[in-house]
Amino acid sequence: MDRFLFYLYRAAWGTLGRLPLPLCFELGRLLGSLFHIASPKYRRLARKNMARSLGSEVSEKEIHQLVSKHFALLGANLCSTARLSRLSPAALDRHVEIDASVGVVKKTQQSGRSVVVILGHYSNWELLPIICERVVNSPSGALYQRIANKYIDEHVRISRGTAGLELFERRNGLARALRILREAGAVGIFADQNSGASGVWAPFFRRLTSTTPLPGLMAARTGAMIVQLTTHLVGRARWRVTAGPEIIPGGSEAQTAAVVNHAIEKQILLYPAEWFWVHDRWKIPESEFLLGRARRGLALSVGDGTRGEADPPVEPFRIVVRSPNWLGDAVMAIPAVRAIKAGRPDAEVTVVTPAKIADIWKILPEADRVIPIPPKSGVRQVARQIKAAMPIPADVAVLFPNSLRSALEARAAGIDYLVGYAGHSRRKLLSKIITPPRRREPPPHQIDRYLLIAEKCGSDTAPYKALEGVFSQDELGTENLVCICPGAEYGPAKRWPADRFAETAILTAQAHPDLRWAIVGVARDKALGDEIAAAIGETATNHCGETDLAGLIDLLRRSRALLTNDTGTMHLSMLIGTPVVAVFGSTEPSFTGPRFAPHRILRRHTPCAPCFLRKCPLDFACMLGITSGEAAATLLETLDARA
């Protein structure tokens, strides 16, 4: 197949090389326009890139016209190259004008200083190798990215080399390029393409993107001047080559990359239809889109002094996080959301969550926006909510639920890059699949399972292993109050007996008679709450079914501690920062329980636990083995430690 494609390429190249240049130009324009019609994928990419880069001052109609013109000129320039490579110097002079500004390159070389030439995919960029002897002195070279088809690659190398330009690949090292620069030579670098994992991160049209660090690196090693050479159309099959002012390196490779990007931006804005818009310059890396482990550095602004004003802020990298559907799971996902937010300085995090648990995300500083999903919302309805809240589609969606539905919601909202665990027939919808570690005993804590998503996306998750509270110590425990949560939505196997909760409160009150007790839970726990409140006496109040989530958050914040089963309220109290004493029986605290002080776990090891059953089929020994005296002692330790 490579040979076949090469023969087609050579036939087209040979045919075009024999046609008059104006005819090549017009034929290319026609072919480019046909490609514009026949390739919706690249048409959408060019439109998306232009719309995000050129700003709100350019109308949608103007974007459409620029995209159409871009494809036509792209075809015209590429087809013209075949003929330009065969023209005599005199014939080239009739079609190519070399601006006086270009003379700075040879003058600099003659003074004994080398030049790093910034190249870009403007207009007819293949024209520069053809005329390189006119704009630079020997020795000269250019960094080159190998073409996948080895036969076409060899032909391109030969055709570019006939003009005296030495080509070398980045993967083979920079020794030869640096040697040329140390000999007062010139080295060209295409600096307007995405550099993947090897790049530094710098703003390009106000969005962070991977950028080549080589101009800054080479200039720092050799003292070379950095200058940009560009071509642009000045008429039918006529081009002008110009040089920009010297680019002053920044304080680091990343800062220099930002300055180079700014110089490229200015050239693109002069002739917006002539840049190579069908390259995905801002593509999301396949490996890691968070920058916690960015190897080469990062710059957030240009800071080159050429603007005469402050740099505009970098546009946010928009991340949609689909929350788990249950309160406890959502809380355990919060360390991962914190790690994601910290993973890059331009991150904007939008949390899409069931409305019933939206209030927990609203108290999280790392959530820049919260989109509550009403009960029984369909996929399209959720997608419309996301679109209404985010006119510019998100760059990435991180899906904590394993459901197919969550992936369909994100796709319907126009988000192309989806991250999550494979499951429920959604593998083909995911752009990045998180692979869990090999099965081991015991399985990881649920917090770690969510944190693995952030880690695989590039965040440093080490600081987020604990579930840190969202309130300061001054805001916590403002009242002499202890909360009791005796229910458990999963089933009775997770519920410590009601009389044990009451006995624990009574025993604790012997040491702290001024304590008040608040029983919390959902509406169906009201009878259970009444029973416990009656046993404790007038210092207890039953709030079951009477507080919404925001009210529960406030109640827990004002309390000195929470005595609870393994429930969502337990996780919520941990998020708030209120100490927890949690009773575990049928479930496993190493999977879902509190992990660090000041939280404490009460557990009686039995041969059948953990069973993860809703109802105990035996003697309930795991729960009945935990005495109220033991619980009261642990609660007193918690209260005393807090005091």
Side-chain angles (χ1 to χ4, degrees), residues 35-172:
F35 184 68
H36 171 256
I37 296 170
S39 180
K41 173 184 175 182
Y42 288 104
R43 187 170 65 244
R44 285 194 299 268
L45 177 59
R47 187 178 297 135
K48 173 184 173 183
N49 286 340
M50 280 194 188
R52 286 197 170 186
S53 303
L54 301 183
S56 57
E57 63 272 12
V58 181
S59 69
E60 188 174 337
K61 181 180 178 181
E62 290 172 316
I63 292 291
H64 179 78
Q65 292 171 343
L66 281 171
V67 169
S68 179
K69 183 179 179 182
H70 164 67
F71 277 89
L73 293 182
L74 183 62
N77 284 310
L78 291 178
C79 286
S80 297
T81 303
R83 182 58 183 157
L84 283 167
S85 64
R86 298 190 178 196
L87 292 182
S88 65
L92 272 175
D93 288 340
R94 293 194 295 271
H95 294 279
V96 181
E97 174 188 341
I98 299 178
D99 190 80
S101 61
V102 177
V104 69
V105 178
K106 286 193 172 185
K107 289 179 181 178
T108 300
Q109 289 180 280
Q110 289 166 358
S111 70
R113 187 184 180 193
S114 57
V115 181
V116 172
V117 180
I118 301 300
L119 306 173
H121 293 81
Y122 313 105
S123 191
N124 195 333
W125 63 85
E126 291 291 349
L127 179 62
L128 291 173
I130 296 172
I131 62 167
C132 71
E133 289 182 327
R134 302 186 181 198
V135 298
V136 299
N137 289 330
S138 295
S140 62
L143 289 171
Y144 172 75
Q145 184 171 347
R146 180 183 293 272
I147 298 172
N149 187 306
K150 64 179 181 179
Y151 305 106
I152 297 177
D153 179 78
E154 183 180 1
H155 176 261
V156 170
R157 281 175 176 270
I158 293 172
S159 62
R160 288 178 176 178
T162 55
L165 188 68
E166 184 177 350
L167 301 177
F168 27 81
E169 292 184 72
R170 171 69 178 88
R171 66 179 183 178
N172 293 332

